Amino acid sequence: MTRLLLGLGIVSAFSLSTWLQPRFAAMQTNPNATDSALGILMGESSRVFANHFLLKADAYFHSGTYPSVFDTVTNKEPSAIMGEAHADHDHDADQVHGKDEHDDHHEESIYGEPHDWIERLGHSFIPTLHTHLDKPGEAREILPWLKLSAELDPQKITTYVAASYWLRHDPKHADEAEPFLRQGLRANPDSYEILLELGKYYNETKKDPVRARNVWELAWAKWQKQKAADKKPDELTGAEILGELVKEARSRDDAHSQIQYLELLKDLGFDKAALQQQIDALKQRSK
Amino acid sequence: MNAVVEIKDLRVEYPSRELGQKTKVAVNGLTLKVSAGEVFGFLGPNGAGKTTTMNVLLGFVNPTSGSASIFGVDVREPIARQRIGYLPELTYYYKFLNAEELLRFYAKIFNIPKSEREKRIDDVLKLVELDHARTRLIKTYSKGMQQRAGLAQALINDPDLLILDEPTSGLDPLGRMKVREIIQRLKERGKTVLFSSHELGEVETVCDRIGILCQGELRAEGRVADITAQHQTNLERVFLKIVGYQEA
Amino acid sequence: MNNIFAIASVVLKEMYRRKDFYVLFVLTALITLVMGSVNIFNDDKVVRYLKEICLLLIWVSSLVIAITTAARQIPAERESRTIFPLLAKPISRNQMILGKFVGCWIACALVLVVFYLFFGVISGAREHFWPVVPYMQALFFHWIFLGIVIALVLWGSLVFTAVSSNATICFIIVAGIMLLGGHLNQIAGRMNGISATITSAIYYIIPHLEFYDLRDWIIHDRGVVAWGPWLIASVYGLVYSAIFLGLACIAFRRKALTL
Ligand SMILES: Nc1ncnc2c1ncn2[C@@H]1O[C@H](COP(=O)(O)OP(=O)(O)OP(=O)(O)O)[C@@H](O)[C@H]1O
Ligand SMILES: [Mg+2]
């Protein structure tokens, strides 16, 4: 018995080390490797944990409803917090990727009908109702996990954007969004996503559209730089940056800039006809 | 006289540790009776099967064949052990208890009423002369003191039958004499004692009857005087002859 | 009954004379307090992560205490030969197993009360409300869970010779059931043939330990657990403890007590 266990232990240790070795090697040559103390301490696994904590934050947002990989009935992808963040926010922004099918499904089990009595009984002891942390201030509960996630994997951009969204929507914490985003920017200097979020912070929270515009223009420049370098930046985010710039220009009644950004937006390939209409209308007016 | 211990045609085999080997026969065709009020001495060389026989009497080891009973009750019934006091060959006791707590624990299992319990504990501790160390953890005891604690727990229920596996091993001469005295006193009170020993002198002085066990078989049984008379020599010579020692 | 409690009291005595529990408790308290002092965006009302960490530590510590205590009981009796004078008394082997079980289980109850008091104080101090009933429900469930684990480990200690291998195997089994037990039916649904049948058979045979994990429930303040299912699950757990104890008794009855 003992000998069998020992053998098993040796085999698993061996396979684990062969699995880990190339990863360690990769990490040592990677100049962008994590730079936080905790991250270094935990090595490659820190990224796994960072992702786990991000999921945790998502589960917290839904008050503990936490579909596992085995639950097929999931109506949202892992980074649903981001979804939420954009969904609420984008309704008024007439943006391209508003998650409009996202809903008011509160108070509904996310796990679907149980298959057997064991599952039915089990569902009595875990939070299955889909609710949100929407009472004032309640969203703060997700922040520790986001902070931990950033600590473990500073390269994970979602973390900063999600945290900033919640921070700036909580009057007590609004001012903390900026330092956190700047921290993210230091770790990811080329991130147009963080710049987009920073712009929103200046625009909506600080009511400083001029500063917001500068940041968004920088974001767009970064986006284009990545495009040129063939790094396949996210087109939806690119469109969102341009959308913000269009709105900002509209608020200044700057038809010229609006047209310029709308043309860029059209180049991205979204709903060309409608955009052309808007451009034509603007050109008409400015004549 | 009615038999307190009755062993019939007992055979005990141990499964062998190594593969492909036959089982080890520890006791073979043992038949034995110990009557009430008797002191019976179990003799035999190392590995003869003395401890194994006692283990059967206490239900630790199941007989391969044959049977054993105590006070007419089959040894596999727990109630057979209500009137027994047992001292194992090697005694270790709960390291985190002191002598008093150990005895209280065993007294509870014997269902000794609370009113009597403390007095009984006092009595046996005095008897084995551990009174001074009663609140010390047993792990701090010397070997001889542990042996005395073992003897104390064997006496806690004022048993009618005592089974003692080498009760004097590890004791100083004074301690040995003390144990002999205890056995003698118990005998005077009509108790039955079954004990094993390697000390022939000791056996000669306290035993009514002896049995000499060798390789799992009972080679001789009877009163010491009868056995020596039969072989016309002293007990030591008889013993050596029975175990097959050839004098040069 | 008398015999069972006599044995149980010795287990308890050993428990409080050993230092394991104190060490684990101090460690749990220390880690929780340190985590509680971390600055989360200058907000001292953030509490759920702290509850989560504290409960995780409590679960791990209590599981370690339960498994190591239960796994040690019978092998230690045999190794130190204390089992011989003990079983030479009028006590059956079944009573000995039951006594060991009751002792370990009561010890765990005491441990859990201390742990949950600490948890209640920590969370209450931040939240300023004390959901006593849900916490009691969680504590009781946790205790039922440990009962099943103790019975399983006692059985294991009669099947496997080495204490460490028994403890390791039981730990893996318990962790495996906690993580996968509730999903085996879904896994079986994705397989076919004989392996699907085996997987769903396992699903119905194993004790579903994941029931008793009310952590998410109390972290997110979901109120009182419905009493009906709560009662059913408690009975379900007791039945499994009884089954494992029965198996332990059977395994012990056949054992020759020699070294
Ligand atoms: N658990 C066991 N497994 C296998 N064989 C055993 C076991 N216990 C004892 N034996 C064997 O059974 C035989 C009898 O052993 P037992 O302990 O009864 O001898 P003993 O007469 O008490 O000897 P001693 O005087 O040394 O105490 C020995 O040959 C021993 O090797
Ligand atoms: Mg012996």
Side-chain angles (χ1 to χ4, degrees):
Chain A
M1 195 64 232
T2 341
R3 226 173 280 171
L4 184 81
L5 277 178
L6 200 70
L8 213 70
I10 290 170
V11 168
S12 51
F14 177 74
S15 43
L16 192 71
S17 68
T18 50
W19 183 79
L20 281 175
Q21 212 166 27
R23 274 150 235 267
F24 275 123
M27 213 182 73
Q28 275 156 4
T29 52
N30 181 1
N32 276 337
T34 51
D35 47 8
S36 81
L38 205 55
I40 288 164
L41 204 73
M42 294 180 58
E44 186 70 357
S45 63
S46 69
R47 214 151 295 171
V48 179
F49 278 101
N51 210 31
H52 173 78
F53 290 132
L54 211 53
L55 283 170
K56 192 107 221 162
D58 186 29
Y60 266 46
F61 177 66
H62 296 106
S63 321
T65 46
Y66 198 15
S68 71
V69 286
F70 301 104
D71 291 303
T72 41
V73 212
T74 51
N75 52 12
K76 45 192 68 216
E77 64 270 34
S79 59
I81 339 168
M82 289 308 301
E84 309 288 346
H86 287 291
D88 302 341
H89 173 75
D90 293 344
H91 286 308
D92 52 18
D94 68 36
Q95 266 304 324
V96 211
H97 71 297
K99 298 210 167 188
D100 275 348
E101 75 276 25
H102 186 77
D103 44 48
D104 292 331
H105 277 177
H106 295 209
E107 302 292 305
E108 180 184 285
S109 171
I110 56 150
Y111 295 101
E113 270 300 294
H115 300 89
D116 49 59
W117 69 271
I118 292 175
E119 208 172 283
R120 186 181 301 276
L121 189 57
H123 283 183
S124 316
F125 313 123
I126 46 172
T128 52
L129 294 181
H130 181 186
T131 58
H132 289 168
L133 286 182
D134 34 22
K135 288 194 205 98
E138 255 194 328
R140 71 164 87 86
E141 299 293 352
I142 70 171
L143 297 175
W145 303 115
L146 293 172
K147 190 166 175 154
L148 202 54
S149 173
E151 198 64 36
L152 287 169
D153 186 357
Q155 262 79 45
K156 191 144 196 103
I157 286 154
T158 327
T159 313
Y160 303 104
V161 181
S164 152
Y165 177 83
W166 291 113
L167 286 170
R168 65 193 172 82
H169 281 84
D170 183 345
K172 266 172 66 192
H173 293 291
D175 286 339
E176 260 141 298
E178 188 178 359
F180 197 54
L181 284 172
R182 295 239 173 251
Q183 178 191 332
L185 221 44
R186 271 196 299 280
N188 311 276
D190 288 330
S191 168
Y192 52 89
E193 296 99 327
I194 297 179
L195 286 168
L196 167 63
E197 180 62 28
L198 189 60
K200 287 179 186 171
Y201 166 76
Y202 287 137
N203 189 41
E204 293 163 31
T205 311
K206 295 271 105 175
K207 311 285 179 223
D208 183 352
V210 182
R211 218 162 159 191
R213 173 162 35 120
N214 287 336
V215 173
W216 281 327
E217 273 168 357
L218 182 61
W220 178 243
K222 298 269 188 200
W223 193 93
Q224 279 180 312
K225 204 173 110 193
Q226 288 204 18
K227 179 89 177 169
D230 219 14
K231 280 189 186 155
K232 301 217 172 15
D234 182 41
E235 303 218 323
L236 287 175
T237 316
E240 201 185 341
I241 298 170
L242 289 172
E244 294 291 353
L245 283 166
V246 170
K247 265 197 299 172
E248 195 276 331
R250 191 183 298 149
S251 68
R252 284 183 287 122
D253 235 356
D254 180 349
H256 175 73
S257 299
Q258 276 186 69
I259 294 169
Q260 184 195 337
Y261 293 131
L262 283 168
E263 290 284 359
L264 287 167
L265 203 51
K266 207 176 71 181
D267 291 345
L268 282 177
F270 292 104
D271 206 357
K272 284 193 173 167
L275 288 169
Q276 190 58 52
Q277 253 179 2
Q278 280 191 44
I279 294 170
D280 291 345
L282 280 166
K283 281 188 177 155
Q284 204 69 45
R285 242 188 332 132
S286 56
K287 266 185 198 154
Chain B
M1 221 184 266
N2 56 333
V4 170
V5 177
E6 202 162 3
I7 301 172
K8 272 199 204 115
D9 226 5
L10 182 72
R11 182 181 171 89
V12 180
E13 291 173 8
Y14 285 114
S16 63
R17 294 277 155 97
E18 277 117 77
L19 277 168
Q21 273 195 351
K22 277 187 283 174
T23 52
K24 163 92 194 147
V25 181
V27 177
N28 190 9
L30 179 72
T31 301
L32 189 72
K33 261 189 199 178
V34 180
S35 313
E38 220 178 11
V39 177
F40 189 91
F42 234 173
L43 292 180
N46 292 134
K50 305 182 292 291
T51 300
T52 305
T53 309
M54 293 182 174
N55 283 349
V56 169
L57 290 177
L58 292 152
F60 301 154
V61 175
N62 289 330
T64 312
S65 68
S67 67
S69 61
I70 288 174
F71 299 111
V73 183
D74 189 284
V75 291
R76 273 167 285 197
E77 304 289 328
I79 195 67
R81 302 190 284 273
Q82 178 68 36
R83 289 157 71 194
I84 300 184
Y86 169 63
L87 173 70
E89 185 170 27
L90 296 163
T91 48
Y92 300 97
Y93 295 94
Y94 301 96
K95 292 188 163 64
F96 46 89
L97 295 184
N98 60 37
E100 210 177 271
E101 288 166 331
L102 180 81
L103 293 175
R104 201 169 293 135
F105 167 49
Y106 289 138
K108 271 191 218 159
I109 291 180
F110 277 116
N111 242 328
I112 297 171
K114 243 195 182 121
S115 51
E116 240 178 278
R117 212 184 282 159
E118 296 306 314
K119 182 173 163 5
R120 192 78 69 76
I121 292 170
D122 282 347
D123 288 351
V124 288
L125 281 175
K126 278 206 189 87
L127 188 67
V128 299
E129 295 178 350
L130 274 181
D131 211 23
H132 61 285
R134 57 191 295 162
T135 52
R136 260 168 59 192
L137 289 187
I138 296 180
K139 67 178 172 192
T140 65
Y141 282 11
S142 76
K143 183 171 188 297
M145 286 166 84
Q146 290 192 9
Q147 186 81 353
R148 285 164 206 255
L151 203 59
Q153 64 80 30
L155 294 169
I156 188 73
N157 59 331
D158 192 20
D160 293 324
L161 168 66
L162 266 162
I163 298 179
L164 311 173
D165 202 348
E166 299 183 26
T168 52
S169 79
L171 293 185
D172 56 30
L174 200 70
R176 282 165 197 235
M177 208 178 71
K178 202 79 202 158
V179 170
R180 278 204 294 274
E181 271 176 32
I182 290 172
I183 293 175
Q184 210 84 57
R185 209 173 313 149
L186 289 166
K187 188 191 156 183
E188 280 157 24
R189 286 173 52 204
K191 313 277 179 186
T192 314
V193 182
L194 171 66
F195 79 100
S196 72
S197 177
H198 292 294
E199 292 287 318
L200 297 180
E202 176 178 296
V203 170
E204 234 173 333
T205 51
V206 296
C207 290
D208 298 317
R209 282 197 310 140
I210 59 164
I212 299 178
L213 211 58
C214 189
Q215 296 185 339
E217 287 165 16
L218 193 63
R219 297 279 168 88
E221 191 216 328
R223 294 159 50 92
V224 181
D226 293 349
I227 291 175
T228 47
Q230 192 190 333
H231 289 81
Q232 296 183 335
T233 177
N234 68 7
L235 190 59
E236 190 178 349
R237 290 271 167 85
V238 176
F239 182 85
L240 291 174
K241 198 170 133 197
I242 285 175
V243 305
Y245 174 78
Q246 306 292 325
E247 263 177 282
Chain C
M1 219 53 204
N2 177 44
N3 288 349
I4 293 172
F5 282 113
I7 299 217
S9 71
V10 170
V11 176
L12 283 173
K13 225 168 242 157
E14 175 184 11
M15 182 81 193
Y16 75 69
R17 290 195 182 160
R18 286 174 66 108
K19 305 286 172 285
D20 313 17
F21 166 67
Y22 308 108
V23 171
L24 281 171
F25 178 73
V26 168
L27 219 62
T28 300
L30 221 64
I31 294 176
T32 308
L33 292 174
V34 167
M35 292 309 285
S37 67
V38 170
N39 174 11
I40 308 288
F41 298 107
N42 297 321
D43 191 329
D44 59 0
K45 285 218 191 71
V46 186
V47 66
R48 294 191 182 171
Y49 83 103
L50 201 59
K51 285 161 85 177
E52 171 117 27
I53 290 166
C54 185
L55 283 174
L56 179 70
L57 291 169
I58 290 175
W59 270 75
V60 172
S61 307
S62 63
L63 189 60
V64 167
I65 291 173
I67 290 185
T68 52
T69 311
R72 188 172 64 224
Q73 291 307 326
I74 293 168
E77 289 266 359
R78 297 182 60 178
E79 219 145 280
S80 66
R81 294 163 185 261
T82 45
I83 198 167
F84 293 111
L86 177 58
L87 285 182
K89 310 282 182 281
I91 185 171
S92 71
R93 293 187 182 192
N94 293 351
Q95 284 173 330
M96 179 176 160
I97 300 259
L98 280 179
K100 292 294 187 189
F101 173 78
V102 170
C104 292
W105 207 26
I106 293 176
C108 282
L110 299 177
V111 166
L112 285 181
V113 166
V114 174
F115 270 137
Y116 275 77
L117 271 178
F118 174 74
F119 171 75
V121 167
I122 289 287
S123 67
R126 284 210 174 189
E127 286 182 310
H128 298 295
F129 93 112
W130 279 266
V132 175
V133 176
Y135 284 4
M136 297 284 260
Q137 283 182 319
L139 191 158
F140 192 79
F141 253 26
H142 198 158
W143 191 50
I144 296 272
F145 162 84
L146 291 180
I148 304 173
V149 171
I150 291 166
L152 175 74
V153 174
L154 281 177
W155 178 37
S157 72
L158 291 159
V159 177
F160 305 107
T161 12
V163 177
S164 56
S165 55
N166 176 35
T168 314
I169 288 169
C170 288
F171 196 84
I172 290 170
I173 290 176
V174 170
I177 292 178
M178 295 289 285
L179 291 175
L180 289 178
H183 305 299
L184 282 177
N185 58 342
Q186 284 157 348
I187 296 171
R190 290 177 202 179
M191 298 198 276
N192 36 36
I194 185 81
S195 54
T197 318
I198 294 173
T199 310
S200 52
I202 294 174
Y203 176 72
Y204 284 105
I205 291 171
I206 54 168
H208 281 271
L209 299 174
E210 74 275 5
F211 287 171
Y212 306 101
D213 183 359
L214 286 184
R215 279 182 299 159
D216 279 340
W217 193 276
I218 57 177
I219 288 168
H220 296 286
D221 296 326
R222 288 306 185 96
V224 178
V225 177
W227 288 102
W230 184 83
L231 219 73
I232 293 171
S234 301
V235 172
Y236 170 92
L238 294 177
V239 168
Y240 268 97
S241 304
I243 291 172
F244 288 133
L245 280 179
L247 290 169
C249 289
I250 291 168
F252 197 32
R253 189 172 307 156
R254 290 195 312 224
K255 231 176 174 95
L257 287 183
T258 48
L259 283 175

